[in-house]
Amino acid sequence: MITIEGLRVAYGRTIALDSVTADIAPGVSGLFGPNGSGKSTLLRVLAGLLRPSTGTIRIAGEVVDMKSEQLRGRIGYAGHRSGLYGRLTVMENLELFARLYGTGRGRVRDMIDQLDLRDRARTPAVELSAGYQRRAAVARALLHDPDLLLLDEPYANLDDEAAEAVSQAVMTWRRAGAVAVIATHGAKKVKRYADSGLILQRGRLIRHGTYEASGFTP
Amino acid sequence: MSAAGFAGKTRALIAKDLRVELRGRDTLPPMVAFAFTVALLLAFAAPAPPRLQEPVSLPVGTVPFIDVAAAFLWITVLFAGLIGFARTFEVEEADGAIDSLLLVPLDRSGLFLAKAAANATFVVVVEAILLPAFALLFHFDLGLDWLNLILVTLLVDIGFVAIGTLFASVAAQTRSRELILPILALPALVPLFIAAFELTADLLGGGGLQAVASRGWFGILLAFDVIFTVAAALAFEFVIDA
């Protein structure tokens, strides 16, 4: 469970998030909203990569604090950019992060298979197409089987087949007690397996709840 | 986390930085090219040096050539190092890998050590090329006290890399990192490099380590290394999470 209380993020005079309060239950939540509505900012705050101006976030009752190694190790985050080292191959990137998270090499092969990256495993990340970079980024985020998965536009630049691989990987990862928040414009893709949704507009949370209860049509 | 886990993760990050550099060659070649060009220019600009072995009687108020050459050497290392340090976090920033790295369950001191170790490798490679080049161009005799010279060089490198890596992390968060880094780092590095000039000139002048140490610069160098390495490692956490 993620508890967000009175969250406000300001960049100078620009208010990116304002008075966001929500409880995000275990399961997969879609995060929707137009460009500039604060989706990426909210994910970065949830990951602890950005400090809010005011407000708090609790993950399973624990206040998000980047100093906590244990908490960091429970978060899987894939942002707008790939988060990979361009000069390293996909395999080398995943092996590096597997080592940093103390995950076995078997898990690297699993993720490469799940995200259908086999024929690009030996390709330097910088030479990958945008779609393959997205898939590799999702693989990296899922590598250590996190309790909290935060994906920012995981379907960007993906064809239908690749998008399906991403959805399948998230569904395979899904388990009791774990929380995923997936920010996307491709609401239909997420709706297939999401339990709830949040809609942001101009930094404010305008709708939040389960798909049935919230009543919004992505 | 256990010490072995910490060491293993730090080693993995060092290996990553060196592998990225081996493939990209983005940092070391510019450092070496800069250092070698400056050495060459200084060699042509300087008056013909007397050979160290020859006894030199200097008029009052004249600086021995070896003092000037030692200063040339370290100033070249200083600016070549700053060129490399400015790129310390470029590999992390390029595709947002810094976010992935910041979420890794590793104490920030591990990140600092890994970055500092990679920077130290680059500086040592530059010095390994530069020292013989200077010896050739400025007629140093490295055979006189080369072990002590290496010891002093490594001690200077520790403080240099600690300060450089810390301020590189500060500069990385600004738009004009190449400008900000020297502005921040140079004032902090002044005592270290004065000690480096003095110790190197003494050693090349045939002073020997005991005589050199008795002048106090060796103690200043050691104190600088200890204080600034610890301070930089502690401050890094606050800078990188800012």
Side-chain angles (χ1 to χ4, degrees):
Chain A
M1 168 78 85
I2 303 175
T3 307
I4 304 169
E5 288 172 349
L7 199 66
R8 179 186 165 92
V9 176
Y11 301 108
R13 288 183 181 175
T14 308
I15 310 290
L17 290 174
D18 195 14
S19 307
V20 175
T21 297
D23 288 330
I24 304 175
V28 178
S29 292
L31 178 58
F32 311 110
N35 290 335
S37 58
K39 300 188 296 296
S40 298
T41 303
L42 179 57
L43 287 187
R44 288 183 66 77
V45 176
L46 288 174
L49 291 168
L50 185 64
R51 259 193 220 104
S53 310
T54 56
T56 54
I57 293 174
R58 287 188 172 79
I59 298 173
E62 192 180 341
V63 174
V64 171
D65 175 11
M66 284 294 275
K67 287 186 171 56
S68 167
E69 281 176 48
Q70 200 187 3
L71 183 62
R72 290 202 305 262
R74 292 168 58 194
I75 297 171
Y77 170 80
H80 263 300
R81 294 185 291 168
S82 71
L84 302 170
Y85 293 99
R87 303 273 187 202
L88 303 185
T89 66
V90 172
M91 179 73 90
E92 287 168 342
N93 267 290
L94 294 182
E95 282 177 347
L96 169 68
F97 283 98
R99 192 152 179 212
L100 294 174
Y101 280 100
T103 308
R105 294 185 75 174
R107 181 73 181 156
V108 172
R109 284 191 294 274
D110 278 356
M111 294 321 303
I112 283 177
D113 287 343
Q114 279 187 41
L115 273 304
D116 201 10
L117 288 162
R118 280 177 300 273
D119 55 347
R120 293 289 189 282
R122 306 278 173 201
T123 306
V126 73
E127 293 174 18
L128 294 174
S129 68
Y132 273 106
Q133 285 196 5
R134 271 306 56 209
R135 279 194 257 177
V138 173
R140 183 192 43 72
L142 285 166
L143 191 64
H144 56 293
D145 194 20
D147 293 331
L148 171 58
L149 179 65
L150 303 166
L151 301 180
D152 196 353
E153 297 292 355
Y155 297 107
N157 304 306
L158 296 189
D159 57 32
D160 289 345
E161 205 174 313
E164 181 58 25
V166 168
S167 297
Q168 286 298 331
V170 175
M171 284 190 267
T172 305
W173 160 84
R174 187 180 188 153
R175 63 174 191 277
V179 181
V181 181
I182 301 176
T184 181
H185 290 290
K188 282 180 186 167
K189 293 188 179 92
V190 173
K191 195 186 173 188
R192 271 183 49 219
Y193 59 92
D195 306 292
S196 62
L198 301 99
I199 301 181
L200 286 170
Q201 197 169 54
R202 292 181 185 167
R204 287 180 173 271
L205 185 64
I206 58 167
R207 202 168 291 177
H208 167 225
T210 60
Y211 267 86
E212 292 73 24
S214 58
F216 61 78
T217 310
Chain B
M1 187 194 302
S2 67
F6 178 86
K9 290 178 182 184
T10 304
R11 270 202 310 272
L13 288 174
I14 297 169
K16 176 265 295 175
D17 276 342
L18 297 181
R19 183 178 283 179
V20 167
E21 175 57 22
L22 274 176
R23 292 196 185 152
R25 297 189 187 97
D26 295 322
T27 303
L28 204 45
M31 290 171 78
V32 171
F34 171 86
F36 198 73
T37 307
V38 170
L40 210 59
L41 284 172
L42 291 173
F44 276 102
R51 289 196 173 273
L52 286 179
Q53 295 87 332
E54 293 167 9
V56 181
S57 58
L58 294 169
V60 176
T62 307
V63 179
F65 184 77
I66 197 65
D67 285 14
V68 177
F72 280 174
L73 169 68
W74 281 111
I75 288 171
T76 309
V77 170
L78 170 63
F79 285 100
L82 289 176
I83 287 173
F85 297 161
R87 297 190 55 83
T88 302
F89 290 91
E90 209 135 296
V91 64
E92 259 72 37
E93 299 285 350
D95 289 303
I98 186 73
D99 288 345
S100 313
L101 200 58
L102 288 177
L103 286 170
V104 162
L106 170 66
D107 191 89
R108 300 300 190 223
S109 58
L111 296 185
F112 177 78
L113 279 177
K115 282 292 172 196
N119 278 339
T121 306
F122 302 148
V123 170
V124 167
V125 171
V126 168
E127 287 166 346
I129 295 169
L130 204 56
L131 265 173
F134 258 73
L136 202 69
L137 293 167
F138 292 91
H139 303 273
F140 291 175
D141 187 351
L142 292 176
L144 279 178
D145 213 351
W146 66 272
L147 263 179
N148 288 330
L149 190 61
I150 287 173
L151 174 69
V152 166
T153 302
L154 292 178
L155 286 173
V156 173
D157 289 349
I158 291 171
F160 182 33
V161 162
I163 292 283
T165 306
L166 173 67
F167 286 122
S169 69
V170 177
Q173 301 185 25
T174 65
R175 283 184 190 170
S176 46
R177 66 190 62 170
E178 285 83 3
L179 290 175
I180 296 291
L181 176 61
I183 291 169
L184 293 174
L186 285 175
L189 289 168
V190 166
L192 179 75
F193 276 81
I194 291 175
F197 302 158
E198 296 288 342
L199 288 167
T200 307
D202 285 356
L203 284 172
L204 290 174
L209 195 62
Q210 266 187 329
V212 167
S214 67
R215 284 188 59 204
W217 288 111
F218 200 72
I220 290 172
L221 183 57
L222 285 175
F224 188 98
D225 279 354
V226 172
I227 293 167
F228 279 91
T229 304
V230 172
L234 293 175
F236 181 77
E237 176 177 353
F238 298 99
V239 173
I240 204 80
D241 284 333

